[in-house]
C-alpha cells in the first residue's frame, strides 16, 4: 500500500516549544552561576543536580520500565569506588575516572541483572537491595581503599584535576573552590545530558515499546515487543548513569566510605521520595521533586531525626491525595506537558482532523 | 500447503484439561471458524498458537517452522497476529500509537514508514476519528475494533480473531463482516472464534467445533451445523 503523504505525525506542542527555550536559558544561567554566587551555593546546586540525575534514572527504571529498585546505591557506591581506584591506584585524572565509574557500574549490572530479573515485583525490589548490601560488604574488605573506614582522594589528584588550574587563574579561586566549580559544571552537563537522553529514548521506537510493555506486557508480547529485552536495556542504562553520577559525587566529596557510598537512605530512599512527590513516570516530576526536597531539607535541617519522619509523612500525604505527584496534579488540571512524548496523527487536507483529548 | 499445524496438542490448568489432543491444520488462504460453548478452550487455543501460554505436550508448526517453544514476540514477527477476547489495549497510548507499536515491532518497519499504513488501517476499522484518543478511554466496542486494528498493523499472515462481533448492531455487524472479507481477500489467512454464527458463516469456508478441549466436528459449515452431535452439544436448546 502506498504511503499517503496526507498523514503526518507530530509530538511538539506550544508548551513544549516554550519550555525548550526556557530550558536553554536556564541552562545558560546555571552555567554562569559560579561567576556570581558563593561557594556554598555552588555546592547546593551540585547537590540538587546530582540528586536530579539519580532521580531521573530511578524514574526511568520504576516509572517507565516498572522496575522498582531499592538497590541503586549499589551503582552509586560501586561507581564511586571504581573512580577512587582509578585515581588512587591507576593515577587517572578524577574527571576521566568518572567514566571508569560509569563503566564499572554497567559491568556490575550485567551479572546482577541475571539474578534480579528472575524476580518480580516486591521480590525484585528486595533482590536489588540484597545485592547492594553484598557489594557494600565486599567493597568494605578492600583494604587498599580503606576497608570499612574508607579513604580520601590524594590531595594532588584533586588539585591537579582537569580545569582546576585554569579556573584558579581565571576566577581567582583557591583549588578547592575551583574544584567545586569543575564538578558543578560536570553535574550540570550530566543532568542536561541525562534529561536529553531519556527524553530521546522515550520518544524513540524503543520508548514506545517500553510504554506498551508498561501498559500491558502480555499484549505487547503478542504484537512483537520483547519486554524482557527492553527492561534489561533500561536496567543497564540506569546503572551506567547512576554509576557516573556516584563517581561524580565522590570526586566532589573527595572522601569515601562504604557506609556513605552504599547508603540506602541517601541514594535510594531520598531519590524515591523525590520522584514520588514530583510525579513518577514523567520527566518533569523529578525536576519539581528535587527542588521540593532541597527546600524541605534546608527547612528541617535543625530537627534531626524528625526530618525523616516529616519527609515520610509528606510522601504519604502526596501519595494519598496526588498519587501522580505534584507534576501529575498540575498537568492533569492544565494539560501542560513540557516534554511531550505522545505521537499525534495529523491529517493535512481533511477537515475532520482527529480529536486531541 | 498448511500455514498452521497443531499436532496432538494438550494443555491443562491443574486438573482441568483445557486442550485435549487437538490436531488441526489450517491451509494458506483459508478462513476457518471455531465455535463451541463457553469454557470449551477456544481462547486457550489461541494462547497456545501465539505462545502466550506454553503447551503441555504436542507440537505447533507455523509457516513451515516448528514454533512450539518459540516466544510470543518471535511468533508475532513471523506473521501470527491475534485479537484478545477481552481487549487489552495499551491504555495510556493513543489509538494511533497502539497501531504504531504493532507496525514498528510486529511488522518490523521503521517508525517513519508506518504512518500512512496505520492511518489506513484506522480508516478501514472506523477508528480514524479516535486516532489521538488514549486507548484506555475507548468504550468496549471500539476497544474490540482496536484489537482488530492493532493485530492488522503487525502485517499478519495468519490473523486470529477472538469474538469481535459480540454486541454489535445489525449494520455494525455487516460492516465488520465486510472488513474481514476484505482482509481475507487481501491474502490473509483467518481463524475466527465467534458466537455470532451468521456473521461467522458469511465469511468462513470451514468450521471447527470445540467442546471440553476436544475437536468434535470439522468440515463445511452446513455439514457441521447439521451434525447431530454438534446440535446436541453446542445448540442443545434447539434439539
Ligand atoms: N490462566 C488460566 N488458569 C486457570 N484456568 C484457566 C486459565 N485460562 C483459562 N482457564 C480455564 O480454561 C477453560 C477454557 O477457557 P477458555 O479457553 O477461555 O474458553 P473459551 O474461550 O472457549 O470460552 C475455562 O474453564 C477457563 O476457566
Ligand atoms: Mg474465549
Amino acid at each position: 500500500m502506498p504511503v499517503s503523504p496526507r498523514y503526518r505525525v507530530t509530538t511538539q506542542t506550544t508548551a513544549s516549544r516554550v519550555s525548550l527555550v526556557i530550558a536553554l536559558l536556564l541552562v545558560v544561567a546555571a552555567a554562569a552561576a559560579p561567576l556570581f554566587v558563593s561557594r556554598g551555593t555552588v555546592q547546593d546546586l551540585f547537590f540538587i543536580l546530582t540528586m536530579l540525575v539519580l532521580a531521573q534514572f530511578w524514574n526511568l527504571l520504576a516509572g517507565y520500565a516498572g522496575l522498582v529498585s531499592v538497590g541503586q546505591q549499589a551503582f552509586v557506591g560501586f561507581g564511586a569506588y571504581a573512580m577512587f581506584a582509578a585515581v588512587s591506584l591507576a593515577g587517572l585524572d578524577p574527571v576521566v575516572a568518572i567514566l571508569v565509574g560509569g563503566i564499572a557500574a554497567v559491568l556490575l549490572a550485567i551479572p546482577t541483572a541475571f539474578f534480579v530479573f528472575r524476580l518480580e515485583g516486591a521480590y525484585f525490589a528486595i533482590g536489588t537491595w540484597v545485592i547492594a548490601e553484598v557489594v557494600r560488604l565486599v567493597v568494605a574488605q578492600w583494604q587498599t581503599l580503606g576497608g570499612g573506614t574508607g579513604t580520601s582522594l590524594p590531595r594532588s589528584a584533586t588539585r591537579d584535576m582537569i580545569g582546576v588550574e585554569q579556573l584558579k587563574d581565571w576566577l581567582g579561586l583557591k583549588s578547592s573552590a575551583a574544584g567545586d566549580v569543575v564538578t558543578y559544571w560536570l553535574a550540570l552537563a550530566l543532568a542536561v545530558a541525562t534529561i536529553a537522553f531519556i527524553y530521546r529514548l522515550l520518544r524513540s521506537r524503543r520508548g514506545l515499546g517500553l510504554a506498551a510493555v508498561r501498559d500491558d506486557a502480555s499484549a505487547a508480547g503478542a504484537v512483537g515487543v520483547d519486554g524482557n529485552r527492553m527492561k534489561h536495556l533500561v536496567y543497564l542504562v540506569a546503572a551506567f548513569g547512576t554509576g557516573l553520577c556516584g563517581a561524580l559525587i565522590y570526586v566532589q566529596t573527595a572522601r569515601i566510605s562504604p557506609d556513605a557510598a552504599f547508603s540506602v537512605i541517601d541514594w535510594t530512599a531520598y531519590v524515591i521520595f523525590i520522584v514520588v512527590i514530583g510525579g513518577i513516570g514523567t520527566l518533569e516530576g523529578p525536576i519539581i521533586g528535587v527542588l521540593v526536597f532541597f527546600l524541605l531539607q534546608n527547612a528541617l535541617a535543625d530537627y534531626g531525626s524528625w526530618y525523616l519522619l516529616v519527609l515520610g509523612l509528606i510522601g504519604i500525604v502526596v501519595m494519598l491525595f496526588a498519587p501522580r505527584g505534584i507534576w501529575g496534579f498540575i498537568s492533569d488540571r492544565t494539560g501542560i506537558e513540557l516534554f511531550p512524548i505522545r505521537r499525534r496523527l495529523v491529517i493535512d487536507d481533511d477537515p475532520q482532523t482527529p480529536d486531541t483529548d | 500447503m498448511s500455514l498452521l499445524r497443531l499436532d496432538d496438542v494438550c494443555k491443562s490448568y491443574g486438573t482441568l484439561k483445557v486442550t485435549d489432543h487437538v490436531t488441526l491444520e489450517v491451509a494458506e488462504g483459508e478462513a476457518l471458524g471455531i465455535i463451541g460453548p463457553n469454557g470449551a478452550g477456544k481462547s486457550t487455543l489461541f494462547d497456545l498458537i501465539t505462545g502466550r501460554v506454553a503447551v503441555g505436550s504436542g507440537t505447533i508448526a507455523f509457516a513451515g517452522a516448528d514454533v512450539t517453544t518459540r516466544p510470543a514476540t518471535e511468533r508475532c514477527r513471523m506473521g501470527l497476529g491475534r485479537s484478545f477476547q477481552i481487549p487489552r489495549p495499551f491504555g495510556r497510548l493513543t489509538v494511533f500509537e497502539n497501531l504504531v507499536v504493532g507496525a514498528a515491532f510486529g511488522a518490523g518497519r521503521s517508525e517513519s514508514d508506518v504512518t500512512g499504513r496505520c492511518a489506513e488501517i484506522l480508516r478501514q476499522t472506523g477508528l480514524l476519528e479516535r486516532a489521538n484518543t488514549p486507548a484506555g478511554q475507548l468504550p468496549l466496542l471500539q476497544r474490540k475494533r482496536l484489537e482488530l486494528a492493532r493485530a492488522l498493523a503487525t502485517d499478519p499472515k495468519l490473523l486470529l480473531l477472538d469474538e469481535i462481533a459480540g454486541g454489535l448492531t445489525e449494520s455494525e455487524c455487516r460492516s465488520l463482516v465486510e472488513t474481514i472479507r476484505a482482509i481475507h481477500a487481501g491474502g490473509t489467512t483467518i481463524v475466527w472464534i465467534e458466537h455470532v454464527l451468521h456473521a461467522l458463516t458469511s465469511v468462513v469456508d470451514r468450521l471447527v467445533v470445540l467442546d471440553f478441549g476436544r475437536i468434535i466436528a470439522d468440515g463445511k459449515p452446513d455439514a457441521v451445523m447439521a451434525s447431530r452431535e454438534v446440535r446436541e452439544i453446542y445448540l442443545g436448546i434447539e434439539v
Side-chain angles (χ1 to χ4, degrees), chain B residues 13 16 18 36-45 47 85 162-163 193:
Chain B
Y13 285 118
L16 182 68
V18 190
N38 278 326
K42 304 181 297 297
S43 297
T44 302
L45 206 56
D47 287 342
Q85 180 182 351
D162 197 349
E163 298 196 21
I193 296 172

Side-chain angles (χ1 to χ4, degrees), chain B residues 186-229:
Chain B
T188 308
T189 309
I190 286 173
V191 178
W192 186 6
I193 296 172
E194 192 53 78
H195 280 308
V196 185
L197 276 180
H198 65 90
L200 188 64
T201 49
S202 61
V203 173
V204 303
D205 31 43
R206 179 181 155 208
L207 211 50
V208 160
V209 185
L210 216 59
D211 190 35
F212 291 110
R214 283 183 312 115
I215 292 182
I216 58 162
D218 182 346
K220 291 264 172 243
D222 291 347
V224 166
M225 293 316 295
S227 118
R228 178 159 185 81
E229 197 182 11

Side-chain angles (χ1 to χ4, degrees), chain A residues 34-56:
Chain A
L35 307 177
F36 308 108
V37 301
S38 70
R39 184 173 173 201
T41 307
V42 168
Q43 288 172 343
D44 284 344
L45 290 172
F46 176 85
F47 173 75
I48 290 172
L49 288 169
T50 50
M51 290 307 277
L52 175 59
V53 170
L54 295 179
Q56 288 291 1

Side-chain angles (χ1 to χ4, degrees), chain B residues 32-101:
Chain B
L32 168 69
I34 297 182
I35 60 172
N38 278 326
K42 304 181 297 297
S43 297
T44 302
L45 206 56
F46 278 7
D47 287 342
L48 297 171
I49 294 169
T50 55
R52 192 164 100 92
V53 167
V55 299
S57 65
T59 59
I60 298 173
F62 176 67
D66 184 343
V67 297
T68 314
T69 57
R70 293 201 194 170
T73 50
E74 208 176 303
R75 295 190 211 188
C76 170
R77 279 182 236 131
M78 290 174 70
L80 258 173
R82 77 167 296 176
S83 76
F84 288 97
Q85 180 182 351
I86 298 164
R88 311 185 65 132
F90 304 128
R92 283 187 270 173
L93 299 183
T94 66
V95 168
F96 172 67
E97 286 174 320
N98 268 260
L99 267 65
V100 174
V101 174

Side-chain angles (χ1 to χ4, degrees), chain A residues 275-299:
Chain A
V275 175
V276 168
I277 62 161
I280 191 165
T282 65
L283 277 161
E284 296 90 343
I287 299 174
I288 292 188
V290 78
L291 296 175
V292 172
F293 172 70
F294 177 75
L295 294 177
L296 281 174
Q297 211 187 29
N298 277 353

Side-chain angles (χ1 to χ4, degrees), chain A residues 58 269 272-273 275-280 311-326:
Chain A
W58 190 82
I272 294 176
F273 176 84
V275 175
V276 168
I277 62 161
I280 191 165
L311 278 193
L313 281 176
I314 291 173
I316 289 168
V317 168
V318 168
M319 277 194 263
L320 285 178
F321 296 104
R324 306 209 312 114
I326 296 170

